[in-house]
Coordinates of all heavy atoms in Angstrom, one line a residue:
L20 N 145.4 144.6 -54.5 CA 146.1 144.0 -53.3 C 145.0 143.6 -52.3 O 144.5 144.4 -51.5 CB 147.1 144.8 -52.6 CG 148.4 145.0 -53.5 CD1 148.2 145.9 -54.7 CD2 149.4 145.9 -52.6
H21 N 144.4 142.3 -52.5 CA 143.2 141.9 -51.6 C 143.7 141.2 -50.4 O 142.7 140.8 -49.5 CB 142.3 141.2 -52.6 CG 143.0 140.0 -53.2 ND1 143.1 138.8 -52.5 CD2 143.5 139.8 -54.3 CE1 143.6 137.9 -53.3 NE2 143.9 138.5 -54.4
E22 N 144.9 140.8 -50.2 CA 145.3 140.1 -49.0 C 146.0 141.2 -48.0 O 147.0 141.6 -48.2 CB 146.3 139.1 -49.3 CG 145.7 137.9 -50.2 CD 146.7 136.6 -50.3 OE1 147.5 136.5 -49.4 OE2 146.6 136.0 -51.3
V23 N 145.2 141.5 -47.1 CA 145.6 142.6 -46.1 C 146.3 142.0 -44.9 O 145.7 141.1 -44.1 CB 144.4 143.4 -45.7 CG1 144.8 144.5 -44.7 CG2 143.6 144.0 -46.9
C24 N 147.5 142.5 -44.6 CA 148.3 141.9 -43.5 C 148.6 143.1 -42.7 O 149.2 144.1 -43.1 CB 149.6 141.4 -44.0 SG 149.4 140.2 -45.4
I25 N 148.2 143.0 -41.4 CA 148.3 144.1 -40.4 C 149.3 143.7 -39.3 O 149.0 142.7 -38.7 CB 147.0 144.5 -39.9 CG1 146.1 144.8 -41.1 CG2 147.0 145.7 -39.0 CD1 144.6 145.3 -40.7
V26 N 150.3 144.6 -39.0 CA 151.1 144.3 -37.9 C 150.5 145.3 -36.8 O 150.6 146.5 -36.9 CB 152.6 144.8 -38.2 CG1 153.5 144.7 -37.0 CG2 153.2 143.9 -39.4
T27 N 150.1 144.7 -35.8 CA 149.5 145.4 -34.6 C 150.4 145.3 -33.3 O 151.5 144.7 -33.4 CB 148.1 144.7 -34.3 OG1 148.3 143.5 -33.8 CG2 147.2 144.7 -35.6
G28 N 149.8 145.9 -32.3 CA 150.5 145.9 -31.0 C 149.6 145.8 -30.0 O 148.4 145.7 -30.1
R29 N 150.0 146.0 -28.7 CA 149.1 145.9 -27.5 C 148.1 147.1 -27.6 O 148.4 148.2 -28.1 CB 149.8 146.1 -26.2 CG 150.6 144.9 -25.9 CD 151.4 145.0 -24.6 NE 152.4 146.2 -24.7 CZ 153.7 146.0 -25.3 NH1 154.0 144.8 -25.7 NH2 154.6 147.0 -25.4
G30 N 146.8 146.8 -27.3 CA 145.8 147.8 -27.3 C 145.1 148.1 -28.7 O 144.6 149.1 -28.9
K31 N 145.4 147.2 -29.7 CA 145.1 147.5 -31.1 C 144.0 146.5 -31.5 O 143.7 146.4 -32.7 CB 146.3 147.4 -32.0 CG 147.5 148.3 -31.7 CD 147.1 149.6 -32.4 CE 148.4 150.5 -32.3 NZ 148.4 151.7 -33.2
R32 N 143.2 146.0 -30.6 CA 142.2 145.1 -31.0 C 141.1 145.6 -31.8 O 140.4 144.9 -32.5 CB 141.6 144.3 -29.8 CG 142.6 143.4 -28.9 CD 142.9 142.3 -29.9 NE 141.8 141.5 -30.2 CZ 141.3 140.4 -29.5 NH1 141.8 140.1 -28.3 NH2 140.3 139.8 -30.0
A33 N 140.9 146.9 -31.7 CA 139.9 147.5 -32.5 C 140.0 147.4 -34.0 O 139.1 147.4 -34.8 CB 139.8 149.1 -32.1
L34 N 141.3 147.3 -34.4 CA 141.6 147.0 -35.8 C 141.1 145.7 -36.3 O 140.5 145.5 -37.3 CB 143.1 147.1 -36.1 CG 143.7 148.4 -35.9 CD1 145.3 148.2 -35.9 CD2 143.4 149.4 -36.9
D35 N 141.2 144.6 -35.4 CA 140.7 143.3 -35.8 C 139.2 143.4 -35.8 O 138.5 142.8 -36.8 CB 141.0 142.3 -34.8 CG 142.5 142.3 -34.4 OD1 143.2 143.3 -34.4 OD2 143.0 141.1 -34.3
D36 N 138.5 144.1 -34.9 CA 137.2 144.1 -34.7 C 136.5 145.0 -35.9 O 135.4 144.6 -36.4 CB 136.7 144.8 -33.4 CG 137.1 143.9 -32.2 OD1 137.2 142.6 -32.4 OD2 137.2 144.4 -31.1
H37 N 137.2 146.0 -36.2 CA 136.6 146.7 -37.3 C 136.4 146.0 -38.6 O 135.3 146.2 -39.4 CB 137.5 148.0 -37.7 CG 136.9 149.0 -38.7 ND1 135.8 149.7 -38.4 CD2 137.3 149.3 -40.0 CE1 135.5 150.5 -39.4 NE2 136.3 150.2 -40.4
F38 N 137.3 145.0 -39.0 CA 137.1 144.3 -40.2 C 136.5 143.0 -39.9 O 136.9 141.9 -40.4 CB 138.5 144.1 -40.9 CG 139.0 145.4 -41.4 CD1 140.2 146.0 -40.7 CD2 138.6 146.0 -42.4 CE1 140.6 147.2 -41.1 CE2 139.0 147.2 -42.9 CZ 140.1 147.9 -42.3
D39 N 135.5 143.0 -39.1 CA 134.8 141.7 -38.6 C 133.3 142.1 -38.5 O 132.9 143.2 -38.6 CB 135.4 141.2 -37.3 CG 134.9 139.8 -37.1 OD1 134.2 139.1 -37.9 OD2 135.4 139.2 -35.9
I40 N 132.5 141.0 -38.4 CA 131.0 141.3 -38.2 C 130.7 141.7 -36.8 O 131.2 141.1 -35.8 CB 130.3 139.9 -38.6 CG1 130.4 139.6 -40.1 CG2 128.8 140.2 -38.4 CD1 129.9 138.3 -40.5
N41 N 129.8 142.7 -36.6 CA 129.4 143.1 -35.3 C 127.9 142.6 -35.3 O 127.0 143.4 -35.8 CB 129.5 144.6 -35.1 CG 129.1 145.0 -33.7 OD1 128.2 144.4 -33.1 ND2 129.8 145.9 -33.2
Y42 N 127.5 141.5 -34.9 CA 126.1 140.9 -34.9 C 125.2 141.8 -34.4 O 124.1 142.0 -34.8 CB 126.1 139.5 -34.4 CG 126.8 138.5 -35.4 CD1 128.1 138.0 -35.0 CD2 126.3 138.0 -36.6 CE1 128.8 137.1 -35.8 CE2 126.9 137.0 -37.4 CZ 128.1 136.6 -37.0 OH 128.8 135.7 -37.7
E43 N 125.4 142.2 -33.0 CA 124.4 143.0 -32.4 C 124.1 144.3 -33.0 O 123.0 144.6 -33.2 CB 124.9 143.2 -30.9 CG 123.9 144.0 -30.0 CD 124.4 144.0 -28.6 OE1 125.4 143.5 -28.2 OE2 123.7 144.9 -27.9
L44 N 125.1 145.1 -33.4 CA 124.9 146.3 -34.1 C 124.2 146.1 -35.4 O 123.3 146.9 -35.7 CB 126.3 146.9 -34.3 CG 126.3 148.2 -35.3 CD1 125.5 149.4 -34.7 CD2 127.7 148.6 -35.6
E45 N 124.6 145.2 -36.1 CA 124.0 145.0 -37.5 C 122.6 144.5 -37.4 O 121.7 144.8 -38.2 CB 125.0 144.0 -38.3 CG 126.3 144.6 -38.6 CD 127.1 143.8 -39.5 OE1 126.5 143.2 -40.4 OE2 128.3 143.8 -39.4
H46 N 122.3 143.8 -36.3 CA 120.8 143.4 -36.1 C 120.0 144.5 -35.8 O 118.9 144.7 -36.2 CB 120.8 142.3 -35.0 CG 119.4 142.0 -34.6 ND1 118.6 141.2 -35.4 CD2 118.6 142.3 -33.5 CE1 117.4 141.1 -34.8 NE2 117.3 141.8 -33.6
Q47 N 120.6 145.5 -35.0 CA 119.8 146.7 -34.5 C 119.6 147.6 -35.6 O 118.4 148.2 -35.7 CB 120.6 147.5 -33.5 CG 120.7 146.7 -32.1 CD 119.4 146.5 -31.4 OE1 118.5 147.4 -31.5 NE2 119.1 145.5 -30.7
I48 N 120.4 147.7 -36.6 CA 120.1 148.8 -37.7 C 119.7 148.0 -39.0 O 119.4 148.8 -40.0 CB 121.4 149.5 -38.0 CG1 122.5 148.5 -38.7 CG2 121.9 150.2 -36.8 CD1 123.7 149.4 -39.1
Q49 N 119.4 146.7 -38.9 CA 118.9 146.0 -40.1 C 117.5 146.7 -40.6 O 116.7 146.8 -39.8 CB 118.8 144.5 -39.8 CG 118.4 143.6 -41.1 CD 118.5 142.1 -40.7 OE1 118.5 141.8 -39.5 NE2 118.2 141.4 -41.7
G50 N 117.5 146.9 -41.9 CA 116.2 147.4 -42.4 C 116.0 148.8 -42.3 O 115.0 149.4 -42.7
T51 N 117.1 149.5 -41.6 CA 116.9 151.0 -41.4 C 117.9 151.7 -42.5 O 118.7 151.1 -43.2 CB 117.3 151.4 -40.0 OG1 118.7 151.3 -39.9 CG2 116.6 150.6 -39.0
S52 N 117.7 153.1 -42.5 CA 118.5 153.8 -43.5 C 120.0 153.7 -43.0 O 121.0 153.9 -43.8 CB 118.1 155.3 -43.5 OG 118.2 155.9 -42.3
K53 N 120.3 153.4 -41.8 CA 121.7 153.4 -41.2 C 122.4 152.1 -41.9 O 123.7 152.2 -41.8 CB 121.6 153.4 -39.8 CG 121.2 154.7 -39.1 CD 121.4 154.7 -37.7 CE 120.8 156.0 -37.1 NZ 121.6 157.1 -37.5
E54 N 121.6 151.2 -42.3 CA 122.4 149.9 -42.7 C 123.2 150.2 -43.9 O 124.3 149.6 -44.1 CB 121.4 148.9 -43.1 CG 121.9 147.6 -43.4 CD 120.8 146.4 -43.6 OE1 119.6 146.8 -43.9 OE2 121.1 145.3 -43.6
E55 N 122.8 151.3 -44.7 CA 123.7 151.5 -45.9 C 125.0 152.1 -45.5 O 126.0 151.9 -46.3 CB 122.9 152.6 -46.8 CG 123.6 153.1 -47.9 CD 123.9 152.1 -49.0 OE1 123.2 151.0 -49.0 OE2 124.9 152.2 -49.8
T56 N 125.2 152.6 -44.3 CA 126.6 153.3 -43.9 C 127.5 152.1 -43.8 O 128.7 152.5 -43.7 CB 126.4 154.0 -42.7 OG1 125.9 153.2 -41.6 CG2 125.4 155.1 -42.7

């Protein structure tokens, strides 16, 4: 089941953000051991 459909509500934007790219964070840890996490 690869099409994920999420019913959210007010104050739930963290769900959207979790399954999205965080450019600043990923740039900061690029090339370090933390990138594997």
